[in-house]
Amino acid sequence: MIGVFDSGYGGLTILRELRRRLPERDFIYLGDNARAPYGSRSFDVVYEFTRQAVVRLFDMGCDLVILGCNTASAKALRTIQQKDLPLIAPDKRVLGVIRPTVEVIGSLTQSRHVGIVATEGTVRSRSYELEIAKFYPDITVTGQACPLWAAIVEADEAESDGAYYFVSKRINQLLERDPEIDAIILGCTHYPLLMSAIRKATPQHIKIIPQGEYVAASLEDYLHRHPEMDARCSRGGTVTYYTTESPERFKECATVFLHENIEVKHTDL
């Protein structure tokens, strides 16, 4: 099975696109809701929590895990890939959500000025700047931390006047810092649910770039290029959901992201 991990609910937007692109695959989703949010935690803590979740998904039968969380991708992915996998699971793979978006950004900006809206932890890590510089050294990147955005989504207030107030405040701050921005990456998996407010607060000529479709396309391409892993990923079209918090609470909040009823199991990390 293919594992999808997030600190909470935002990774469900990634899972939704993965299912749309690869409907025949089997997925396990694990949300570490009991210890969320990860956004303001230290590198060491995010790494340790993410490593525990990856090991748990391996134990559940996943040979391939997607970190559907920007904070985990920014603060833990590289260490897990380089330090942990060779020791604990050299035949398994862990992928993130940052690089797939970075790889396509060059074709989505004309001005070569790109904005990133994300959690404090992702912005502070400078992961997007560093990755974009590898592929497109001519692109200028400006990051903007957006406190409260994820909380607004989880409170099911994404369409409220209050949501628009907080969204427009951060978009304005970003564009004041670099008025030449013509593309904004949504660097948190919660933010696609704020698309209405983001679009309303952003000049029409600026592209808004959610990650899900690019992560899904990248995974499909990865499986095509790695037939040995493709053969190990089962095809039953199922999804199993786990949370480290209350299954009932997860089930209730997940409907905001998935618009469907699901069954959820509890697990410890």
Side-chain angles (χ1 to χ4, degrees), residues 41-234:
R41 293 186 182 273
S42 70
F43 273 78
D44 289 343
V45 169
V46 172
Y47 159 68
E48 181 56 29
F49 286 0
T50 304
R51 186 192 65 79
Q52 292 170 4
V54 167
V55 170
R56 186 75 181 94
L57 284 165
F58 286 168
D59 290 343
M60 290 177 176
C62 297
D63 286 346
L64 175 62
V65 173
I66 310 297
L67 301 185
C69 172
N70 281 271
T71 302
S73 295
K75 294 184 175 182
L77 176 61
R78 183 162 302 192
T79 303
I80 289 173
Q81 288 175 330
Q82 296 180 353
K83 174 185 172 183
D84 296 305
L85 288 185
L87 296 176
I88 64 174
D91 61 332
K92 300 190 179 188
R93 295 293 177 265
V94 181
L95 306 174
V97 294
I98 293 177
R99 185 157 181 169
T101 313
V102 166
E103 288 178 344
V104 301
I105 192 61
S107 64
L108 300 174
T109 173
Q110 297 296 318
S111 70
R112 317 309 280 176
H113 288 253
V114 172
I116 311 291
V117 289
T119 64
E120 178 185 355
T122 298
V123 171
R124 188 178 296 175
S125 75
R126 299 186 66 244
S127 294
Y128 276 96
E129 289 95 321
L130 295 172
E131 285 296 314
I132 290 175
K134 294 176 185 176
F135 289 89
Y136 309 104
D138 62 316
I139 291 181
T140 298
V141 180
T142 303
Q144 175 65 53
C146 300
L148 300 181
W149 282 24
I152 289 169
V153 170
E154 293 192 6
D156 200 12
E157 294 289 339
E159 302 295 330
S160 68
D161 292 339
Y164 176 73
Y165 170 81
F166 287 108
V167 166
S168 61
K169 179 178 180 179
R170 300 305 176 186
I171 294 293
N172 289 339
Q173 288 176 342
L174 174 65
L175 297 180
E176 285 172 5
R177 293 169 60 201
D178 186 354
E180 295 186 60
I181 287 172
D182 72 347
I184 297 176
I185 295 174
L186 304 186
C188 173
T189 51
H190 281 71
Y191 296 176
L193 275 73
L194 288 166
M195 183 63 80
S196 177
I198 293 170
R199 188 69 273 174
K200 183 179 176 182
T202 306
Q204 287 300 310
H205 73 279
I206 297 178
K207 295 183 179 71
I208 307 299
I209 306 167
Q211 298 170 293
E213 62 183 279
Y214 301 107
V215 174
S218 179
L219 177 58
E220 184 177 47
D221 178 66
Y222 177 88
L223 293 173
H224 179 73
R225 290 184 290 106
H226 296 84
E228 74 288 350
M229 180 61 73
D230 183 43
R232 288 156 60 186
C233 295
S234 58

Side-chain angles (χ1 to χ4, degrees), residues 248-262:
E248 287 304 313
R249 167 65 176 163
F250 185 95
K251 184 176 180 179
E252 178 183 347
C253 290
T255 59
V256 175
F257 294 82
L258 297 176
H259 305 294
E260 63 177 285
N261 291 321
I262 61 172

